Amino acid sequence: MPRDVSLEMTRNIGIMAHIDAGKTTTTERILFYTGINHKIGETHDGAATMDWMVQEQERGITITSAATTAFWHYKDQTYQINVIDTPGHADFSGEMERSIWAVDCAVLVVSCVESVQAHTETVWRLLRQNDVPVVFFLNKADLPTADAAGTLAAVRARLGADVLACGPDFCAADIGEALAEELAARDETLMEDYLVRGYDAQAARERGAALVRAGLVCPAVVGAALNGTGVDTLLNVLAAFCAAPQEEAGDALFRARVYKVRHEKNGGRIVFLKVLAGRLRPKENVACPEKGGTAYYKVNGLRAYSGGKSAPLAEAGPGTLCAAAGLGRVMPGDVVGADARPGMPPALRPLLSAQVLAGPELPPRRLLELLREVEDEEPLLGVEFSEELQRVNVQVMGEVQLEVLQAVLRERYGAEVSFGPCGVLYRETIANAVVGCGHFEPLRHYAEVHLRLSPGAPGSGITFDSECHTDVLAQNWQNLIRTHVLEKSHRGVLTGAPLTDVRVTLLAGRAHLKHTEGGDFRQAVYRAVRQGLMQAESVLLEPWYSFTAEADAALAGRILSDIPRMGGRYEAPVTGRNGRVAVTGTCPVAQMQAYARELTALGKGRTQLSLAFEAYHPCTPAQQQYLAEQTGYDPERDVENTPDSVFCSHGAGYPVKWNEAPAQMHIQLK
């Protein structure tokens, strides 16, 4: 199917915001202005076009991202705007992050009443990390308590954005001399041209677009989505300044990025793609990344989606957002087609964990099967199954996500479940460098690995490098060791919590010409990591929130005394025009989870508390000891994560305890 609008006139836009900033209303108003809808749908009454799920309509919040295509006609030009409405609730921020992989520009909606909130900062940080240009829409400017100027100042101060205010007279064909002067002040080339030739609308627009694409300037529009104020200006800004999808020159091969997975009622698995290069048609074979290599799958169907509705698609070219069936088990973030490769891990991580409880009619194995399918759509769910305890746990962002998961299991599978209390997801790291060794040599198998484990930078996760020469161990084996180090969520030895912020360095290794297989190095690597952890000084990490609490002045003193009591920190309170006080700071998740409900009760519904993940910080020594004792974790009894090695003698393998294994290693490091 030929493209109706050229690639240069195409815009892939993501609408993002803190919850209740007016994100979905902005999206609905865009669809109304572009003629897609003839009636404004509202989230709270379940009529929003993009909120098509039953749970979205019942709760009045966006849970899953949805895309649709609109067309904006202006000054004899037609722009195709592919809009993705994303969740604003922090519990579903994983879906928002995955949507970033599909957009070329983001509209970050900020309420002029609540101003910049904690989740606003999270969204901004993710957009910066992914080099996505940003346009701000300062919403709700029509309300009596709105402070557009203060919100604009907060965007500049708290986010560090270089904001270019675009007024109602802005148009895509002529941005205006005043705005051109502001752009010239930010760009040396444009300033020189401006001083020589004066105002040149085309030059100013082109340089402005270049500055926006580079993330150096962020246009901002003040408006009110509910009554439509500023939405036409926003569309003009998107047309003028936002980047079109980039297409490779020449006869490029097909390549696309996966940004979403969905399971249909008939059991079919569909994969949502943003086409990066080339073209895709039904029945074509597509290269997809798989463990250990690449596999080819036939596209059984190609569709374009608008909310929950879809239509067949004969062809998808560069910049197209589409959905394909038949592409194996690819995951969000993966690149398919030419240069097929797995995606990078998401930046966001769940902070809470809960046990899934089900009756005898739903055995653990069946429950695990259902949850794995849901996890396919939401990879951050982190489903875990304990064979020994026959217990299933899930990782979540918050309690609302648990409620939605419960409803999804009931509606989709007829499965009734409940959940145990939410517990905080702790992590572990190390405070000193150690060398761990692992040997795996049952009969007709052989692998030995020596790894140095050292503390990594906070937030770095698990990283790998090598100091082993290829004369000692061939590069193919080293690549395999790297894969095994990074493929698994290694457990710490204090509480069994996931390991993080550790740098793993390959020092030496040995393979056998005849008996070494790939799985042998997997066993040796896992054992080497555990053996090193058994020697190291382990540190337990707990997650912290960044928070913004807004309350009446009478309650501010109580909040300021509660935060230090919970081990948190706060900045100087700020009093707004309405006399309400805003307190920002950081606090441990374990304390803040209960406090959120307490604060709501104290404020009788007039308090607002926004939370966003800040970072992991070390627990106090007393807290670490208490949690280790409460957990009762014994690393030597964890048979699935053993630190012991296996050696061979007289044709039979035998285990050697971790503390005795170094003396028997075939490689003795100096």
Side-chain angles (χ1 to χ4, degrees), residues 163-343:
V163 177
L164 181 73
C166 300
D169 58 343
F170 181 96
C171 71
D174 186 348
I175 67 172
E177 189 168 356
L179 205 61
E181 288 182 0
E182 287 196 46
L183 284 170
R186 293 166 166 83
D187 183 78
E188 190 173 320
T189 302
L190 187 59
M191 175 61 76
E192 292 178 0
D193 189 61
Y194 183 77
L195 292 174
V196 174
R197 297 192 300 168
Y199 172 56
D200 185 329
Q202 184 65 24
R205 176 180 170 180
E206 290 176 356
R207 290 300 298 167
L211 293 172
V212 172
R213 284 196 298 270
L216 300 175
V217 172
C218 298
V221 177
V222 177
L226 193 60
N227 63 29
T229 303
V231 175
D232 56 344
T233 303
L234 174 63
L235 286 164
N236 291 336
V237 168
L238 294 175
F241 283 154
C242 288
Q246 298 299 302
E247 183 179 17
E248 292 186 358
D251 215 6
L253 298 174
F254 168 74
R255 191 171 80 254
R257 183 179 298 277
V258 180
Y259 70 93
K260 182 182 175 70
V261 171
R262 183 191 298 174
H263 288 263
E264 301 286 74
K265 291 181 179 180
N266 61 6
R269 183 179 191 265
I270 57 174
V271 175
F272 289 77
L273 305 169
K274 177 190 177 182
V275 180
L276 304 174
R279 298 188 176 273
L280 177 65
R281 301 173 184 83
K283 306 304 180 183
E284 290 184 343
N285 290 323
V286 176
C288 300
E290 282 199 351
K291 201 170 185 178
T294 302
Y296 287 83
Y297 293 93
K298 181 182 290 186
V299 177
N300 295 328
L302 196 62
R303 305 188 73 83
Y305 272 79
S306 177
K309 302 177 181 178
S310 68
L313 198 60
E315 180 183 273
T320 302
L321 304 180
C322 61
L327 294 185
R329 304 302 297 180
V330 293
M331 299 298 294
D334 289 354
V335 174
V336 300
D339 191 31
R341 63 184 186 275

Side-chain angles (χ1 to χ4, degrees), residues 632-648:
Y633 180 73
D634 186 350
E636 298 195 56
R637 295 182 63 183
D638 187 347
V639 294
E640 296 180 2
N641 300 278
T642 179
D644 303 336
S645 286
V646 178
F647 290 83
C648 187

Side-chain angles (χ1 to χ4, degrees), residues 52-53 64 260-272 305 328-331 369-378 408 412-413:
W52 57 273
M53 289 179 61
T64 184
K260 182 182 175 70
V261 171
R262 183 191 298 174
H263 288 263
E264 301 286 74
K265 291 181 179 180
N266 61 6
R269 183 179 191 265
I270 57 174
V271 175
F272 289 77
Y305 272 79
R329 304 302 297 180
V330 293
M331 299 298 294
E369 182 183 329
L370 301 182
L371 287 169
R372 289 294 188 203
E373 184 169 301
V374 179
E375 185 186 32
D376 193 35
E377 300 178 2
E378 176 47 87
V408 168
R412 189 181 294 183
Y413 310 108

Side-chain angles (χ1 to χ4, degrees), residues 512-587:
H512 192 280
L513 289 173
K514 182 177 179 181
H515 297 311
T516 299
E517 300 176 357
D520 299 342
F521 272 108
R522 176 182 290 110
Q523 290 291 331
V525 166
Y526 291 176
R527 294 163 193 267
V529 171
R530 292 290 287 185
Q531 201 269 346
L533 292 176
M534 295 295 289
Q535 306 171 63
E537 179 186 346
S538 295
V539 178
L540 192 64
L541 305 173
E542 66 172 334
W544 282 49
Y545 281 135
S546 60
F547 69 87
T548 300
E550 186 178 331
D552 294 333
L555 195 59
R558 171 67 181 272
I559 296 173
L560 296 179
S561 64
D562 286 343
I563 298 302
R565 175 179 57 80
M566 296 187 294
R569 300 182 288 267
Y570 61 85
E571 300 173 4
V574 177
T575 302
R577 291 191 312 169
N578 53 10
R580 288 167 62 83
V581 177
V583 182
T584 61
T586 58
C587 192

Side-chain angles (χ1 to χ4, degrees), residues 80 115 144 162 177-178 236 239 277 455 463 509 566 573 577 598 617 631 649:
Q80 178 177 317
S115 189
D162 187 357
E177 189 168 356
N236 291 336
T463 58
M566 296 187 294
R577 291 191 312 169
E598 181 183 340
H617 296 289
T631 305
S649 178

